[in-house]
Amino acid sequence: MSGPSTYEPQTGIERWLDSRLPIARLMWDSFVDFPTPRNLNYWWTFGGILAIFLMIQIITGVVLAMHYTADVNMAFDSVQRIRRDVPFGWLIQSMHANGASFFFLAVYIHIFRGMYYGSYKAPREVLWILGVVIYLLMMATGFLGYVLPWGQMSYWGAMVITNLFGALPVVGEGIREWLWGGFSVGNATLTRFYALHFLLPFVIAGVVILHIWALHVPGNNNPTGLTVKTKKDTLPFHPYYTVKDGFAIVVFLMIYAAFVFYMPDALGHADNYIEANPLVTPSHIVPEWYYLPFYAILRAITFDIGPISAQLGGVLAMFGAIAILFVLPWLDTSPVRSMRYRPVARWFFLIFMIVCLCLGWCGANNPDDHVLGTPLKFVNFAQILTLYYFAYFLVILPVLGFTERPKERPASIEAAVLGNKPATAQPAE
Amino acid sequence: MKTLIRNLAILAGTVIGAAFLTAAPAAAAEGEAHEPENHAWTFEGPFGTFERTQLQRGFQVFQEVCASCHALEHITFRNLGEGTGPFTCFPDPNASHEDDGHHAEPLCYDNPNDNPVILQIASAYMIEDGPDDAGDMFERAGTPADNWPSPFANEQQARASNGGAYPPDLSLIVKARAGGADYVRSLLLGYHEAPEGMTVRPGLHYNEYFPGGQIAMAPPLSDGIVTYADDTEATTEQMAEDVVTFLAWASDPHLVERNRTGLMVLIYLFVFAVLLWFAYKQVWSRVEH
């Protein structure tokens, strides 16, 4: 879809460089002239927002790394020193901690958008899989980073998550000790988590480049899910989408700034302002909000399944909930990409989104508490939700492809945009 | 198959609907602490700020009451004279007290190392330093760069002096407790007679806001326990509000700077967003969409 390059070097220096390293041509073809469907809505601006947040996290993170000390006796104090004494440390630290939350908020919207408009379907399977890889790397990076301030939740969160690996049969114990670098979460754990937390964002940046590459081969999907057929279906990326993405990025940054400056601790947990203490367990260990749905799935498996213990079952269900995303392109059997034209699937998708939110709600609550005073316990609620989560991928999407009758789709993107307007109304481009 | 799916949908819908529509509030579990009382603070909200005289009173309460058991390890003496800290500015002690209708200008110091109040507070404490050239540790008067000295040498000593309980460090207490400043103030004022049927263990005190209801800290405040320099009446309520304000500053000394910067950033982003919106409208007016 990228088509032949339209880049024309204007100056001698550009011609000289173009015949040696055509990087200006690559940029021009990828981010200026790149043909983009003319009907993208605001849900498509989150790719650009995510790119900005990856940069914010890397830049603030590198500055924090200059002041942070990865040592169990000094880590907590060094974060306090950053917030109190380092010039603008309070700002950099708040941007980084809240940036993680907004990075995840944006990635969840981005993923749900891809699921609704069928952006994972052929020919974009590799693009989707690379996206899931990025998401997995983000989760690992976020977890490793949350351990570094060495507060109570850092320590006990690390304890809970590393213990998950201990549930694996035969190799579990060994893997856990290997992760810890000892026989418990300790200094060796903190230093290796720091090293990996520094490394992984650059791995993410690398996979993001592959993700954009894989995007630019088939081109963007669009709200109709229709394939681009003619040049009239598209607009050049610049200025049409640079300006639209730019506007969305700034609006999103305003919400982010409101948290950074006015509610810097709203998304965190008070216990993480208490230095890690291996002898005192917090009354409720909860992960950061962006892991809560998976935490709920982990705790929903309270029963043994044949030879699989409840604990191992929970771990498998939790990792399975992410792993299933890798095969989504082959689970959805419908040839129609956009759920705009799938009258039944869109309702199941809506329920799926609500289920994910409710799973997060379950993850934040004590499993034995009752849901809003009803006889239903959070753990049972989470079990029902987990069932739907997996049924959506394993039953609903595969079956719907055969049983659902899609609505009639427009002939082309151009027709969808212009609707029933007479052809004469279209100005010359 | 379709009926199955429809049934599934109805089931899921019912469960979720039931969860959302049931309006019954969660009943508070037995023995759980009371929700902290909501209090109006000067430092709340996007325009929140610290009142310097209140920070000075709060510091006085901390120094004369809390500091005998609690540490403030993340605060240095100089911090007290930096930015919005309590002693960056203070009333001129040499100003005439004639009642001529307007207040004397306070003295302000940009550099806490020159600030006589900071120097005076710091030098009143003896700090262990060393080793000197002979290899011996020695004691010297505190300087603005020194950390607030802890009342106990270590946790064991603190526990031994406090009936086994460990008085927590207070430099982050407002951030380290759910409920923040409201919780700490409620706790300071939450000492009452234990409800009937509850036996308070020896050495503990009933406090309705403390998880479990029994706290080792004796009621720290009582009317008139300090004498304020600015003639404010030292009621228990007043002291609790003042000291919590000081502790809120101690846990977040850049709060005012953060609020002010945030306003500038949001105005900048808003103007930028408006400009981009018009640019977007203008660019897209060229094409049908």
Side-chain angles (χ1 to χ4, degrees):
Chain A
M1 189 178 124
S2 308
S5 176
T6 60
Y7 175 68
E8 279 175 28
Q10 300 296 321
T11 61
I13 238 176
E14 282 179 75
R15 273 190 294 278
W16 181 87
L17 184 65
D18 194 50
S19 56
R20 285 158 179 81
L21 178 73
I23 189 162
R25 177 181 298 276
L26 177 72
M27 291 298 147
W28 172 272
D29 292 341
S30 303
F31 302 109
V32 179
D33 186 52
F34 186 68
T36 314
R38 60 192 298 160
N39 59 338
L40 298 189
N41 56 30
Y42 277 108
W43 301 116
W44 260 264
T45 60
F46 282 88
I49 289 171
L50 285 163
I52 293 290
F53 269 87
L54 179 61
M55 279 192 268
I56 290 177
Q57 289 305 87
I58 289 181
I59 292 167
T60 56
V62 167
V63 176
L64 287 175
M66 296 171 186
H67 300 281
Y68 172 77
T69 309
D71 180 290
V72 287
N73 295 316
M74 290 185 265
F76 186 84
D77 290 352
S78 76
V79 173
Q80 281 305 310
R81 206 190 80 81
I82 289 168
R83 293 175 61 119
R84 290 162 188 271
D85 286 344
V86 171
F88 290 99
W90 58 270
L91 174 60
I92 301 283
Q93 198 273 342
S94 178
M95 282 176 74
H96 197 71
N98 286 290
S101 277
F102 278 80
F103 202 170
F104 273 97
L105 176 65
V107 90
Y108 281 131
I109 296 172
H110 194 63
I111 292 170
F112 279 131
R113 188 270 288 158
M115 291 176 77
Y116 183 77
Y117 293 110
S119 302
Y120 47 83
K121 291 186 188 181
R124 295 185 184 83
E125 301 96 320
V126 172
L127 170 61
W128 170 262
I129 288 170
L130 288 168
V132 180
V133 169
I134 293 169
Y135 174 53
L136 259 180
L137 287 168
M138 278 175 65
M139 292 185 83
T141 311
F143 161 68
L144 296 169
Y146 192 60
V147 176
L148 303 186
W150 208 242
Q152 274 287 69
M153 279 298 163
S154 299
Y155 179 87
W156 290 98
M159 197 62 119
V160 170
I161 301 298
T162 48
N163 269 321
L164 295 181
F165 292 93
L168 296 173
V170 188
V171 292
E173 293 273 315
I175 289 179
R176 193 174 56 180
E177 273 171 30
W178 178 70
L179 286 174
W180 283 343
F183 298 102
S184 179
V185 175
N187 201 59
T189 323
L190 180 61
T191 49
R192 67 188 51 201
F193 278 19
Y194 179 48
L196 291 173
H197 183 71
F198 203 109
L199 168 73
L200 286 188
F202 298 98
V203 178
I204 292 177
V207 184
V208 164
I209 290 170
L210 296 181
H211 189 66
I212 296 172
W213 186 9
L215 167 71
H216 283 190
V217 175
N220 287 83
N221 185 27
N222 64 85
T224 64
L226 300 174
T227 305
V228 168
K229 290 181 184 113
T230 66
K231 215 172 164 354
K232 285 190 171 168
D233 288 342
T234 65
L235 293 169
F237 187 75
H238 180 76
Y240 293 99
Y241 285 106
T242 42
V243 72
K244 188 170 183 170
D245 282 0
F247 171 67
I249 288 166
V250 172
V251 170
F252 195 77
L253 284 178
M254 284 174 76
I255 307 167
Y256 169 58
F259 275 82
V260 166
F261 290 103
Y262 297 123
M263 296 170 275
D265 301 310
L267 300 167
H269 197 289
D271 275 13
N272 227 30
Y273 281 107
I274 304 171
E275 190 169 0
N277 185 347
L279 301 177
V280 179
T281 315
S283 50
H284 300 295
I285 301 175
V286 280
E288 292 278 84
W289 69 266
Y290 34 87
Y291 302 125
L292 288 175
F294 299 102
Y295 193 51
I297 291 175
L298 169 77
R299 295 191 301 184
I301 311 300
T302 52
F303 41 85
D304 296 349
I305 310 162
I308 302 170
S309 70
Q311 193 195 9
L312 178 59
V315 173
L316 292 178
M318 184 181 77
F319 285 112
I322 303 166
I324 205 163
L325 294 173
F326 282 106
V327 287
L328 175 60
W330 297 277
L331 291 174
D332 186 350
T333 50
S334 171
V336 181
R337 288 199 194 102
S338 173
M339 291 205 187
R340 221 176 237 194
Y341 307 106
R342 300 186 62 188
V344 186
R346 65 189 304 180
W347 286 107
F348 283 104
F349 175 78
L350 183 71
I351 296 168
F352 176 76
M353 278 208 307
I354 295 169
V355 162
C356 289
L357 293 175
C358 286
L359 274 170
W361 184 38
C362 289
N365 279 283
N366 189 338
D368 291 326
D369 283 353
H370 292 269
V371 181
L372 297 173
T374 58
L376 184 68
K377 282 184 179 179
F378 272 107
V379 61
N380 303 118
F381 188 36
Q383 285 167 343
I384 299 166
L385 298 169
T386 303
L387 192 67
Y388 184 88
Y389 183 96
F390 284 101
Y392 178 76
F393 292 108
L394 296 174
V395 182
I396 295 168
L397 282 182
V399 171
L400 273 186
F402 297 105
T403 60
E404 181 183 46
R405 193 137 63 104
K407 283 200 251 182
E408 199 186 330
R409 283 167 285 161
S412 68
I413 295 171
E414 188 198 10
V417 171
L418 301 178
N420 295 326
K421 286 177 205 165
T424 48
Q426 190 190 2
E429 270 177 49
Chain B
M1 199 66 224
K2 260 191 171 171
T3 13
L4 170 78
I5 290 164
R6 200 166 292 136
N7 287 341
L8 257 176
I10 290 166
L11 175 75
T14 316
V15 169
I16 291 155
F20 275 113
L21 295 177
T22 318
E30 285 294 311
E32 236 174 63
H34 288 229
E35 281 290 304
E37 189 187 323
N38 199 14
H39 186 76
W41 302 99
T42 60
F43 51 85
E44 280 177 326
F47 300 101
T49 184
F50 292 113
E51 198 195 313
R52 193 146 355 233
T53 51
Q54 186 169 36
L55 286 180
Q56 289 167 2
R57 292 196 303 270
F59 170 75
Q60 190 184 349
V61 177
F62 168 77
Q63 191 181 28
E64 293 180 15
V65 182
C66 319
S68 54
C69 299
H70 290 278
L72 195 68
E73 61 176 274
H74 295 296
I75 292 291
T76 58
F77 291 116
R78 69 176 161 79
N79 288 151
L80 299 168
E82 286 172 341
T84 51
F87 297 108
T88 311
C89 294
F90 50 87
D92 188 349
N94 299 323
S96 62
H97 284 282
E98 286 167 41
D99 195 11
D100 54 358
H102 58 86
H103 292 279
E105 283 290 304
L107 290 174
C108 290
Y109 287 84
D110 286 339
N111 184 348
N113 293 309
D114 303 331
N115 186 320
V117 175
I118 300 300
L119 291 167
Q120 189 199 338
I121 294 171
S123 60
Y125 289 87
M126 293 308 283
I127 308 285
E128 190 182 50
D129 203 347
D132 62 13
D133 290 346
D136 299 319
M137 301 304 280
F138 60 92
E139 292 225 318
R140 57 158 176 82
T143 68
D146 285 313
N147 278 64
W148 189 267
S150 296
F152 301 106
N154 47 55
E155 184 178 336
Q156 286 81 350
Q157 195 189 67
R159 284 189 189 277
S161 310
N162 287 283
Y166 182 42
D169 179 83
L170 292 187
S171 41
L172 278 167
I173 199 76
V174 171
K175 281 191 179 290
R177 294 292 179 276
D182 286 337
Y183 168 78
V184 180
R185 177 180 169 275
S186 297
L187 186 87
L188 289 173
L189 300 174
Y191 290 90
H192 301 295
E193 282 291 309
E196 252 177 76
M198 185 176 189
T199 38
V200 179
R201 281 184 287 145
L204 299 185
H205 308 270
Y206 176 72
N207 190 310
E208 58 177 333
Y209 296 103
F210 192 69
Q214 304 190 30
I215 186 168
M217 176 170 72
L221 301 175
S222 55
D223 289 342
I225 196 171
V226 302
T227 309
Y228 281 138
D230 66 355
D231 299 333
T232 306
E233 198 188 340
T235 61
T236 309
E237 291 247 332
Q238 181 68 45
M239 285 184 289
E241 185 185 305
D242 291 347
V243 76
V244 172
T245 302
F246 170 73
L247 293 175
W249 168 82
S251 66
D252 198 357
H254 294 289
L255 180 141
V256 177
E257 186 186 2
R258 204 181 67 215
N259 284 348
R260 286 187 189 145
T261 315
L263 185 66
M264 295 301 141
V265 168
L266 279 178
I267 290 171
Y268 175 86
L269 287 176
F270 179 75
V271 172
F272 195 15
V274 169
L275 290 176
L276 279 170
W277 170 257
F278 285 114
Y280 163 64
K281 280 287 155 197
Q282 201 270 331
V283 165
W284 279 77
S285 66
R286 297 179 215 159
V287 291
E288 288 277 339
H289 62 280

